[in-house]
PDB file of all heavy atoms in Angstrom:
ATOM      1  N   ASN K 158     101.358  31.773  23.890  1.00 81.00           N
ATOM      2  CA  ASN K 158     100.083  31.076  23.908  1.00 81.00           C
ATOM      3  C   ASN K 158     100.029  29.970  24.979  1.00 81.00           C
ATOM      4  O   ASN K 158      98.938  29.669  25.469  1.00 81.00           O
ATOM      5  CB  ASN K 158      99.717  30.498  22.562  1.00 81.00           C
ATOM      6  CG  ASN K 158      99.539  31.646  21.557  1.00 81.00           C
ATOM      7  OD1 ASN K 158      98.963  32.643  21.789  1.00 81.00           O
ATOM      8  ND2 ASN K 158     100.105  31.391  20.388  1.00 81.00           N
ATOM      9  N   TYR K 159     101.123  29.381  25.327  1.00 80.00           N
ATOM     10  CA  TYR K 159     101.081  28.366  26.377  1.00 80.00           C
ATOM     11  C   TYR K 159     102.550  28.118  26.756  1.00 80.00           C
ATOM     12  O   TYR K 159     103.465  28.609  26.153  1.00 80.00           O
ATOM     13  CB  TYR K 159     100.468  27.050  25.836  1.00 80.00           C
ATOM     14  CG  TYR K 159     101.443  26.281  24.966  1.00 80.00           C
ATOM     15  CD1 TYR K 159     102.268  25.247  25.506  1.00 80.00           C
ATOM     16  CD2 TYR K 159     101.508  26.546  23.589  1.00 80.00           C
ATOM     17  CE1 TYR K 159     103.119  24.556  24.670  1.00 80.00           C
ATOM     18  CE2 TYR K 159     102.415  25.838  22.795  1.00 80.00           C
ATOM     19  CZ  TYR K 159     103.227  24.843  23.350  1.00 80.00           C
ATOM     20  OH  TYR K 159     104.067  24.178  22.566  1.00 80.00           O
ATOM     21  N   TYR K 160     102.756  27.402  27.850  1.00 77.00           N
ATOM     22  CA  TYR K 160     104.095  26.970  28.137  1.00 77.00           C
ATOM     23  C   TYR K 160     103.923  25.649  28.959  1.00 77.00           C
ATOM     24  O   TYR K 160     102.880  25.301  29.434  1.00 77.00           O
ATOM     25  CB  TYR K 160     104.878  27.964  29.000  1.00 77.00           C
ATOM     26  CG  TYR K 160     104.261  28.261  30.350  1.00 77.00           C
ATOM     27  CD1 TYR K 160     104.525  27.463  31.440  1.00 77.00           C
ATOM     28  CD2 TYR K 160     103.515  29.414  30.557  1.00 77.00           C
ATOM     29  CE1 TYR K 160     104.001  27.738  32.682  1.00 77.00           C
ATOM     30  CE2 TYR K 160     102.987  29.682  31.803  1.00 77.00           C
ATOM     31  CZ  TYR K 160     103.219  28.850  32.863  1.00 77.00           C
ATOM     32  OH  TYR K 160     102.671  29.099  34.090  1.00 77.00           O
ATOM     33  N   CYS K 161     105.031  24.882  28.972  1.00 75.00           N
ATOM     34  CA  CYS K 161     105.118  23.757  29.796  1.00 75.00           C
ATOM     35  C   CYS K 161     106.136  24.021  30.890  1.00 75.00           C
ATOM     36  O   CYS K 161     107.169  24.627  30.615  1.00 75.00           O
ATOM     37  CB  CYS K 161     105.542  22.524  28.992  1.00 75.00           C
ATOM     38  SG  CYS K 161     104.296  21.921  27.893  1.00 75.00           S
ATOM     39  N   TYR K 162     105.837  23.701  32.106  1.00 77.00           N
ATOM     40  CA  TYR K 162     106.811  23.921  33.120  1.00 77.00           C
ATOM     41  C   TYR K 162     107.207  22.699  33.900  1.00 77.00           C
ATOM     42  O   TYR K 162     106.436  21.683  33.885  1.00 77.00           O
ATOM     43  CB  TYR K 162     106.307  25.003  34.085  1.00 77.00           C
ATOM     44  CG  TYR K 162     105.248  24.569  35.088  1.00 77.00           C
ATOM     45  CD1 TYR K 162     105.558  23.760  36.156  1.00 77.00           C
ATOM     46  CD2 TYR K 162     103.937  25.060  35.010  1.00 77.00           C
ATOM     47  CE1 TYR K 162     104.564  23.394  37.080  1.00 77.00           C
ATOM     48  CE2 TYR K 162     102.935  24.655  35.891  1.00 77.00           C
ATOM     49  CZ  TYR K 162     103.273  23.854  36.944  1.00 77.00           C
ATOM     50  OH  TYR K 162     102.305  23.470  37.819  1.00 77.00           O
ATOM     51  N   GLN K 163     108.378  22.697  34.404  1.00 75.00           N
ATOM     52  CA  GLN K 163     108.808  21.608  35.286  1.00 75.00           C
ATOM     53  C   GLN K 163     108.815  22.143  36.711  1.00 75.00           C
ATOM     54  O   GLN K 163     109.397  23.154  37.035  1.00 75.00           O
ATOM     55  CB  GLN K 163     110.175  21.138  34.936  1.00 75.00           C
ATOM     56  CG  GLN K 163     110.700  20.035  35.863  1.00 75.00           C
ATOM     57  CD  GLN K 163     112.172  19.649  35.580  1.00 75.00           C
ATOM     58  OE1 GLN K 163     112.940  20.548  35.191  1.00 75.00           O
ATOM     59  NE2 GLN K 163     112.505  18.411  35.833  1.00 75.00           N
ATOM     60  N   GLY K 164     108.158  21.405  37.599  1.00 73.00           N
ATOM     61  CA  GLY K 164     108.216  21.790  39.008  1.00 73.00           C
ATOM     62  C   GLY K 164     109.007  20.782  39.765  1.00 73.00           C
ATOM     63  O   GLY K 164     108.698  19.564  39.739  1.00 73.00           O
ATOM     64  N   TYR K 165     110.044  21.212  40.466  1.00 67.00           N
ATOM     65  CA  TYR K 165     110.861  20.262  41.222  1.00 67.00           C
ATOM     66  C   TYR K 165     110.336  20.347  42.698  1.00 67.00           C
ATOM     67  O   TYR K 165     110.510  21.334  43.394  1.00 67.00           O
ATOM     68  CB  TYR K 165     112.327  20.689  41.171  1.00 67.00           C
ATOM     69  CG  TYR K 165     113.238  19.714  41.893  1.00 67.00           C
ATOM     70  CD1 TYR K 165     113.733  18.577  41.239  1.00 67.00           C
ATOM     71  CD2 TYR K 165     113.640  19.957  43.188  1.00 67.00           C
ATOM     72  CE1 TYR K 165     114.581  17.721  41.877  1.00 67.00           C
ATOM     73  CE2 TYR K 165     114.545  19.133  43.857  1.00 67.00           C
ATOM     74  CZ  TYR K 165     115.011  17.998  43.169  1.00 67.00           C
ATOM     75  OH  TYR K 165     115.858  17.118  43.806  1.00 67.00           O
ATOM     76  N   ALA K 166     109.718  19.269  43.123  1.00 55.00           N
ATOM     77  CA  ALA K 166     109.031  19.304  44.410  1.00 55.00           C
ATOM     78  C   ALA K 166     109.709  18.371  45.405  1.00 55.00           C
ATOM     79  O   ALA K 166     109.092  17.461  45.969  1.00 55.00           O
ATOM     80  CB  ALA K 166     107.562  18.871  44.220  1.00 55.00           C
ATOM     81  N   TYR K 167     110.963  18.570  45.592  1.00 50.00           N
ATOM     82  CA  TYR K 167     111.738  17.741  46.475  1.00 50.00           C
ATOM     83  C   TYR K 167     111.171  17.755  47.917  1.00 50.00           C
ATOM     84  O   TYR K 167     111.095  16.685  48.589  1.00 50.00           O
ATOM     85  CB  TYR K 167     113.215  18.208  46.496  1.00 50.00           C
ATOM     86  CG  TYR K 167     114.050  17.477  47.545  1.00 50.00           C
ATOM     87  CD1 TYR K 167     114.552  16.208  47.238  1.00 50.00           C
ATOM     88  CD2 TYR K 167     114.308  18.046  48.790  1.00 50.00           C
ATOM     89  CE1 TYR K 167     115.321  15.527  48.177  1.00 50.00           C
ATOM     90  CE2 TYR K 167     115.114  17.337  49.734  1.00 50.00           C
ATOM     91  CZ  TYR K 167     115.644  16.096  49.377  1.00 50.00           C
ATOM     92  OH  TYR K 167     116.362  15.447  50.333  1.00 50.00           O
ATOM     93  N   THR K 168     110.760  18.944  48.339  1.00 49.00           N
ATOM     94  CA  THR K 168     110.249  19.074  49.722  1.00 49.00           C
ATOM     95  C   THR K 168     108.962  18.278  49.931  1.00 49.00           C
ATOM     96  O   THR K 168     108.592  17.937  51.005  1.00 49.00           O
ATOM     97  CB  THR K 168     110.033  20.520  50.060  1.00 49.00           C
ATOM     98  OG1 THR K 168     109.171  21.133  49.086  1.00 49.00           O
ATOM     99  CG2 THR K 168     111.352  21.274  50.123  1.00 49.00           C
ATOM    100  N   TYR K 169     108.243  17.988  48.848  1.00 49.00           N
ATOM    101  CA  TYR K 169     107.000  17.264  48.924  1.00 49.00           C
ATOM    102  C   TYR K 169     107.231  15.729  48.678  1.00 49.00           C
ATOM    103  O   TYR K 169     106.334  14.933  48.795  1.00 49.00           O
ATOM    104  CB  TYR K 169     105.968  17.738  47.946  1.00 49.00           C
ATOM    105  CG  TYR K 169     105.632  19.231  48.122  1.00 49.00           C
ATOM    106  CD1 TYR K 169     105.995  20.135  47.163  1.00 49.00           C
ATOM    107  CD2 TYR K 169     104.984  19.634  49.254  1.00 49.00           C
ATOM    108  CE1 TYR K 169     105.725  21.506  47.312  1.00 49.00           C
ATOM    109  CE2 TYR K 169     104.659  21.015  49.433  1.00 49.00           C
ATOM    110  CZ  TYR K 169     105.044  21.916  48.435  1.00 49.00           C
ATOM    111  OH  TYR K 169     104.827  23.222  48.619  1.00 49.00           O
ATOM    112  N   GLY K 170     108.474  15.387  48.338  1.00 52.00           N
ATOM    113  CA  GLY K 170     108.818  13.987  48.129  1.00 52.00           C
ATOM    114  C   GLY K 170     108.262  13.420  46.859  1.00 52.00           C
ATOM    115  O   GLY K 170     108.116  12.160  46.700  1.00 52.00           O
ATOM    116  N   THR K 171     107.919  14.250  45.890  1.00 55.00           N
ATOM    117  CA  THR K 171     107.337  13.767  44.635  1.00 55.00           C
ATOM    118  C   THR K 171     108.310  13.798  43.496  1.00 55.00           C
ATOM    119  O   THR K 171     107.973  13.345  42.373  1.00 55.00           O
ATOM    120  CB  THR K 171     106.080  14.547  44.287  1.00 55.00           C
ATOM    121  OG1 THR K 171     106.477  15.965  44.079  1.00 55.00           O
ATOM    122  CG2 THR K 171     105.021  14.476  45.370  1.00 55.00           C
ATOM    123  N   GLY K 172     109.463  14.303  43.672  1.00 56.00           N
ATOM    124  CA  GLY K 172     110.425  14.377  42.552  1.00 56.00           C
ATOM    125  C   GLY K 172     110.050  15.469  41.592  1.00 56.00           C
ATOM    126  O   GLY K 172     109.294  16.336  41.843  1.00 56.00           O
ATOM    127  N   SER K 173     110.612  15.349  40.346  1.00 63.00           N
ATOM    128  CA  SER K 173     110.337  16.328  39.326  1.00 63.00           C
ATOM    129  C   SER K 173     109.074  15.956  38.653  1.00 63.00           C
ATOM    130  O   SER K 173     108.697  14.777  38.477  1.00 63.00           O
ATOM    131  CB  SER K 173     111.463  16.362  38.332  1.00 63.00           C
ATOM    132  OG  SER K 173     112.660  16.861  38.907  1.00 63.00           O
ATOM    133  N   SER K 174     108.311  16.999  38.155  1.00 67.00           N
ATOM    134  CA  SER K 174     107.103  16.706  37.405  1.00 67.00           C
ATOM    135  C   SER K 174     107.010  17.708  36.250  1.00 67.00           C
ATOM    136  O   SER K 174     107.547  18.787  36.322  1.00 67.00           O
ATOM    137  CB  SER K 174     105.878  16.810  38.316  1.00 67.00           C
ATOM    138  OG  SER K 174     105.789  18.114  38.837  1.00 67.00           O
ATOM    139  N   TYR K 175     106.283  17.299  35.249  1.00 72.00           N
ATOM    140  CA  TYR K 175     106.070  18.171  34.088  1.00 72.00           C
ATOM    141  C   TYR K 175     104.583  18.437  33.915  1.00 72.00           C
ATOM    142  O   TYR K 175     103.729  17.538  34.135  1.00 72.00           O
ATOM    143  CB  TYR K 175     106.617  17.526  32.865  1.00 72.00           C
ATOM    144  CG  TYR K 175     108.120  17.327  32.802  1.00 72.00           C
ATOM    145  CD1 TYR K 175     108.669  16.244  33.407  1.00 72.00           C
ATOM    146  CD2 TYR K 175     108.908  18.282  32.177  1.00 72.00           C
ATOM    147  CE1 TYR K 175     110.080  16.079  33.399  1.00 72.00           C
ATOM    148  CE2 TYR K 175     110.303  18.134  32.173  1.00 72.00           C
ATOM    149  CZ  TYR K 175     110.870  17.023  32.779  1.00 72.00           C
ATOM    150  OH  TYR K 175     112.208  16.862  32.767  1.00 72.00           O
ATOM    151  N   GLU K 176     104.237  19.613  33.613  1.00 73.00           N
ATOM    152  CA  GLU K 176     102.817  19.952  33.514  1.00 73.00           C
ATOM    153  C   GLU K 176     102.623  20.950  32.364  1.00 73.00           C
ATOM    154  O   GLU K 176     103.407  21.933  32.275  1.00 73.00           O
ATOM    155  CB  GLU K 176     102.284  20.459  34.790  1.00 73.00           C
ATOM    156  CG  GLU K 176     100.813  20.708  34.841  1.00 73.00           C
ATOM    157  CD  GLU K 176     100.282  20.962  36.224  1.00 73.00           C
ATOM    158  OE1 GLU K 176     100.964  20.607  37.178  1.00 73.00           O
ATOM    159  OE2 GLU K 176      99.248  21.561  36.327  1.00 73.00           O
ATOM    160  N   CYS K 177     101.583  20.761  31.567  1.00 70.00           N
ATOM    161  CA  CYS K 177     101.263  21.730  30.550  1.00 70.00           C
ATOM    162  C   CYS K 177     100.101  22.610  31.035  1.00 70.00           C
ATOM    163  O   CYS K 177      99.157  22.079  31.552  1.00 70.00           O
ATOM    164  CB  CYS K 177     100.941  21.015  29.249  1.00 70.00           C
ATOM    165  SG  CYS K 177     100.783  22.122  27.821  1.00 70.00           S
ATOM    166  N   THR K 178     100.185  23.833  30.724  1.00 69.00           N
ATOM    167  CA  THR K 178      99.100  24.748  31.154  1.00 69.00           C
ATOM    168  C   THR K 178      98.966  25.844  30.094  1.00 69.00           C
ATOM    169  O   THR K 178      99.827  26.056  29.250  1.00 69.00           O
ATOM    170  CB  THR K 178      99.396  25.421  32.510  1.00 69.00           C
ATOM    171  OG1 THR K 178      98.397  26.358  32.779  1.00 69.00           O
ATOM    172  CG2 THR K 178     100.770  26.130  32.485  1.00 69.00           C
TER     173      THR K 178
END
Side-chain angles (χ1 to χ4, degrees):
N158 296 318
Y159 76 95
Y160 63 82
C161 289
Y162 74 73
Q163 179 188 31
Y165 184 84
Y167 174 80
T168 53
Y169 302 111
T171 61
S173 296
S174 63
Y175 295 84
E176 185 168 340
C177 189
T178 176

